[in-house]
Amino acid sequence: MHEDDRGRTDTVTVEDMAATPTPGLLRRFLRLLTFVDLPIKQKFLLLAIGTLFWFGSMAVVTVFALTAIQYKYHLVSEQIMPHDLAAREVLSHLQNIDRDLQFIGPTDTGADLLAVQSMRDHVKAIRAVNARLSLRQTGSSGTFIENVVRSLATTSPADLQYLQGIMAVTDRVDRALDSYINAKRKLPRAIDPDAIAAAIDDAKEQVARGVALATAHSKSVAEEYGSINGQIYQVIRESVNAILAVLLIASTLLFFFVRWIIVAFQRPIATIIQQIDSLSTGDINLAKKVAIKSQDEIGTLSKKFNSLVDSVYGMTIYKKVIEEDASLDEVYHRLGDVFENDLGIPEYTIYDVNAQKKEMRVAHPPLVGDARLHCDLEVLSDCGQCRAVKTGHKVSSFEFPGICRRFVPQAGVGHICIPLMAGGHTGGVVQLRFAADADGAMQDAAAPQKLFNAETYINQSLSVIEAKRLMQTLRESAMVDPMTGLYNRRFLQEHTAQIISGVLRRKTQIGLLVCDIDYFKQVNDTHGHDAGDQLLRETAIVLKSAVRESDIVIRFGGEEFLVLLMDVQSGDAVVVAEKIRQSIEKLKVTVGEKVLQKTISIGVAEFPGDTDGFWQAIKYADVALYRAKEGGRNQCVRFAPDMWQHGDF
């Protein structure tokens, strides 16, 4: 067990063991043993093979056990029981022969012939019993396995010896009876009492010998039956134990292997899901990178996802940084640093376009020393000659050599010009240059990825560049309210088209906040207009500090302000509005010896979420503001369709 920094205890898995730094050979052995670096397909293939192996092992043990039991059962049913029954039957016939011998002798009693005939019948019966045993041993009917088992269960030497002994006894008894009959015949010679006595004695001796053989064989068969019965129980017991052992081993290995596979997949995937959630909220934590513990597809996915997180994190930090840059040229400089230092694109030029003057200038890197322009100088005085500015589309000599006639041809160099679209117009051009082979294709295999990353950073910069350009235009046009330092209503009227086109092109939304200071007229009436002006200035400072650099704060008239939250998601505007309301509520304005503390009411709408008309969206926010006033002031109200009952705007 181990405990991380937060006090949470985790179980050390096989994967952790394999990933823990150990001596080289041991570590490689553990990784080989746990299949850490095998592809996922091979891992599951090994799982299937292992499962089949253990199922096969249980099947082999079961078949072996059943075959052994069948073998023992065959011994009992085909040999022991028949021999036991035969021995009992033979013993009965021998006892009957022994009884019949009591009725014969040298004299004729009238019963001797019947006794001899009875003894011959018993002899025939004994031979018939032995014949049945012999035929039973040679039977071969049944399945293949049964025949194999039957062939293994051959007759024991003791059984053969018993059969031979009984056959010899019956033959001797039969001959003794023949001798007895021959000795009793009166003609042509006289009766021989000695021969009769000898025949009777011989018959009795053989009967006694047969009884002894049958009794001994019956006892032997009984002992063998007991032994085989014990062996059957032993086979069953050992087979059950073996099956349970195989099942336990297989289940244990399967449990650990499946758990290891689940952990190997679940941990990195869960971390990736957490990071995706972080990416969606903008709260990226590089300390939560996916641990790379294998060289399979999961390891590759983890590497690529970590790389993606690094890229997104870098872009997020980059956008926050450029939002705080003071001027458009600083943003261009920052973008150039990314190209050169982070993306490995040392050859680039960033142009800034002045659409009103139809001019463009080199924004970064500056042309100093022996640096030269890679395009005709005419494009600087007439930006319409730049193909990227004129078309608003990416221009690539790698896709079509010589596509732009204003690019100065250079051996082994190709170019890609990317327009910076702001407000529906080309506000700048980024020219990237890469090494080209004889056919005009990119020499560097990593160049397409570098280009993709560069375009991503450019797209991240567009909203900031647009905001900076608007700010710059505002400063140049003096569209600033002199009292608060905020943009005025004229700015909104003149730049509505650019704002709308930029938002629609980026497929985002603008959060519209119409803010009105509660009971502002009382301040002017009670404390004078100077106090009112001071309150307006302090309110403007709070509004600007509560939003991003790319957002726009406008003094809409009197004590009313309009805040444009650029590129927000649905619902974000209400959160910012509440933040502003709380900040104004805490604001204390010192006027002479008095401290003023006011509140603000805010109406919230979204464009184009609420309507496809920009000014109508502002009107909706104004309607929501009046609802906030009617509801008691010092609150934020989100516009709802039922608030507008006047039909089309």
Side-chain angles (χ1 to χ4, degrees):
M1 309 287 285
H2 68 276
E3 189 170 353
D4 62 14
D5 295 337
R6 294 164 296 181
R8 177 176 56 85
T9 302
D10 294 333
T11 302
V12 178
T13 63
V14 176
E15 186 180 6
D16 295 329
M17 292 174 58
T20 302
T22 54
L25 291 177
L26 178 59
R27 187 170 184 271
R28 284 197 295 269
F29 174 74
L30 287 175
R31 296 180 73 87
L32 177 64
L33 185 65
T34 54
F35 315 120
V36 169
D37 298 327
L38 286 181
I40 294 176
K41 180 179 180 180
Q42 294 186 17
K43 287 177 181 176
F44 282 100
L45 181 62
L46 286 173
L47 175 61
I49 292 174
T51 303
L52 290 176
F53 169 77
W54 289 110
F55 274 119
S57 299
M58 286 189 287
V60 168
V61 172
T62 303
V63 171
F64 175 80
L66 293 177
T67 302
I69 292 172
Q70 186 179 13
Y71 171 73
K72 299 298 182 182
Y73 173 77
H74 177 77
L75 288 178
V76 172
S77 63
E78 298 294 328
Q79 292 190 24
I80 294 177
M81 292 182 65
H83 275 272
D84 183 58
L85 294 175
R88 295 176 184 275
E89 191 174 352
V90 167
L91 184 60
S92 176
H93 287 300
L94 290 175
Q95 290 174 346
N96 289 330
I97 292 174
D98 185 58
R99 182 196 60 197
D100 291 337
L101 286 175
Q102 307 300 324
F103 296 98
I104 63 175
T107 61
D108 293 329
T109 62
D112 55 348
L113 293 179
L114 293 175
V116 170
Q117 185 60 42
S118 175
M119 285 187 287
R120 286 192 180 278
D121 292 338
H122 287 300
V123 169
K124 290 179 181 180
I126 292 173
R127 286 176 174 167
V129 171
N130 292 336
R132 286 201 307 271
L133 286 178
S134 299
L135 290 175
R136 196 176 188 90
Q137 300 298 329
T138 58
S140 60
S141 61
T143 64
F144 172 76
I145 295 179
E146 290 174 343
N147 291 331
V148 171
V149 171
R150 186 177 287 112
S151 66
L152 295 175
T154 57
T155 305
S156 65
D159 293 339
L160 292 176
Q161 186 177 1
Y162 163 73
L163 289 174
Q164 293 172 358
I166 291 298
M167 292 298 293
V169 166
T170 55
D171 290 342
R172 291 288 299 272
V173 170
D174 199 20
R175 288 197 297 271
L177 292 176
D178 289 341
S179 300
Y180 171 77
I181 293 173
N182 291 333
K184 290 230 19 184
R185 289 177 181 172
K186 298 178 180 180
L187 293 176
R189 60 182 182 274
I191 296 175
D192 187 355
D194 294 334
I196 292 173
I200 293 174
D201 292 340
D202 188 24
K204 290 182 178 181
E205 181 181 350
Q206 295 305 318
V207 168
R209 180 185 171 204
V211 169
L213 285 174
T215 302
H217 185 64
S218 179
K219 182 179 179 181
S220 174
V221 167
E223 292 176 352
E224 187 174 0
Y225 174 79
S227 174
I228 291 177
N229 191 41
Q231 292 175 10
I232 290 175
Y233 282 116
Q234 181 69 17
V235 169
I236 293 174
R237 184 166 54 252
E238 292 179 354
S239 300
V240 170
N241 292 337
I243 292 174
L244 290 177
V246 170
L247 183 61
L248 178 61
I249 295 173
S251 301
T252 303
L253 292 178
L254 182 63
F255 170 78
F256 282 108
F257 194 82
V258 170
R259 185 181 182 278
W260 171 73
I261 288 180
I262 291 174
V263 171
F265 293 167
Q266 185 267 338
R267 281 188 177 179
I269 291 176
T271 305
I272 290 174
I273 292 174
Q274 292 177 359
Q275 286 286 50
I276 290 175
D277 292 339
S278 300
L279 292 177
S280 64
T281 59
D283 183 19
I284 304 174
N285 188 353
L286 293 181
K288 295 181 179 179
K289 284 189 176 182
V290 184
I292 301 172
K293 297 183 178 180
S294 62
Q295 302 299 322
D296 57 1
E297 291 87 344
I298 294 296
T300 303
L301 174 63
S302 302
K303 290 179 182 178
K304 291 187 176 296
F305 186 80
N306 287 339
S307 177
L308 174 63
V309 170
D310 288 337
S311 300
V312 173
Y313 178 79
M315 292 178 188
T316 303
I317 296 300
Y318 165 76
K319 189 171 183 180
K320 290 181 179 179
V321 170
I322 63 175
E323 284 177 349
E324 298 173 356
D325 285 337
S327 66
L328 184 60
D329 283 346
E330 289 186 18
V331 176
Y332 288 146
H333 190 283
R334 194 86 62 184
L335 184 60
D337 289 343
V338 170
F339 292 155
E340 190 168 354
N341 301 326
D342 297 342
L343 305 184
I345 307 176
E347 297 295 327
Y348 67 93
T349 303
I350 301 176
Y351 297 89
D352 182 65
V353 176
N354 189 324
Q356 293 181 346
K357 296 181 180 180
K358 303 296 182 182
E359 298 175 347
M360 59 190 299
R361 64 182 179 87
V362 177
H364 189 77
L367 293 175
V368 295
D370 57 351
R372 61 187 181 86
L373 193 66
H374 294 270
C375 296
D376 289 341
L377 293 176
E378 296 179 3
V379 300
L380 300 181
S381 57
D382 183 7
C383 62
Q385 296 190 35
C386 175
R387 189 180 185 91
V389 174
K390 182 172 60 177
T391 63
H393 298 151
K394 183 172 67 175
V395 178
S396 174
S397 65
F398 296 103
E399 295 179 357
F400 192 92
I403 187 172
C404 182
R405 299 187 182 278
R406 296 304 175 186
F407 180 77
V408 179
Q410 300 177 53
V413 177
H415 71 94
I416 297 174
C417 294
I418 304 171
L420 303 178
M421 302 301 296
H425 302 283
T426 304
V429 176
V430 174
Q431 183 185 84
L432 305 175
R433 297 179 293 276
F434 298 95
D437 56 20
D439 298 328
M442 292 182 175
Q443 282 187 346
D444 186 4
Q449 183 63 45
K450 294 179 180 179
L451 176 61
F452 173 80
N453 294 337
E455 290 183 282
T456 303
Y457 273 97
I458 290 172
N459 292 332
Q460 290 288 321
S461 306
L462 288 178
S463 61
V464 179
I465 291 175
E466 184 175 357
K468 299 293 183 183
R469 187 178 299 281
L470 289 174
M471 291 171 55
Q472 184 172 319
T473 303
L474 284 173
R475 285 192 294 268
E476 293 173 355
S477 303
M479 295 181 182
V480 177
D481 176 58
M483 180 188 299
T484 61
L486 300 178
Y487 307 136
N488 55 28
R489 193 177 188 122
R490 180 184 174 188
F491 157 79
L492 185 62
Q493 293 170 339
E494 294 194 6
H495 292 87
T496 300
Q498 292 92 327
I499 294 173
I500 293 174
S501 61
V503 170
L504 295 179
R505 175 174 49 80
R506 294 191 297 273
K507 297 180 180 180
T508 57
Q509 293 194 94
I510 298 177
L512 300 171
L513 311 182
V514 177
C515 312
D516 188 271
I517 301 175
D518 297 328
Y519 303 110
F520 178 78
K521 187 174 182 300
Q522 295 179 359
V523 176
N524 287 333
D525 294 342
T526 305
H527 304 284
H529 288 281
D530 290 340
D533 293 344
Q534 179 67 17
L535 178 60
L536 289 175
R537 284 191 291 269
E538 296 285 346
T539 301
I541 294 173
V542 172
L543 291 175
K544 290 190 68 174
S545 63
V547 299
R548 301 167 299 177
E549 185 73 15
S550 57
D551 299 329
I552 302 172
V553 182
I554 300 171
R555 185 184 179 191
F556 214 48
E559 71 273 19
E560 195 173 50
F561 299 87
L562 175 63
V563 181
L564 305 182
L565 303 176
M566 308 298 293
D567 302 325
V568 296
Q569 300 297 321
S570 179
D572 291 349
V574 176
V575 177
V576 178
E578 181 62 20
K579 177 183 176 182
I580 292 174
R581 187 197 66 79
Q582 294 177 4
S583 299
I584 295 297
E585 189 177 28
K586 298 176 182 177
L587 176 64
K588 295 181 180 180
V589 180
T590 303
V591 178
E593 297 179 356
K594 297 182 179 181
V595 176
L596 302 180
Q597 194 166 5
K598 305 295 290 183
T599 59
I600 195 168
S601 299
I602 303 175
V604 182
E606 293 177 352
F607 170 81
D610 293 334
T611 175
D612 54 1
F614 181 75
W615 290 101
Q616 185 175 1
I618 295 178
K619 181 60 179 178
Y620 284 171
D622 194 53
V623 170
L625 170 65
Y626 279 100
R627 283 294 180 93
K629 294 287 189 180
E630 294 172 357
R633 293 179 169 81
N634 190 26
Q635 57 182 296
C636 304
V637 175
R638 173 72 169 86
F639 173 77
D642 59 354
M643 297 180 184
W644 182 258
Q645 305 295 336
H646 306 287
D648 293 336
F649 181 74

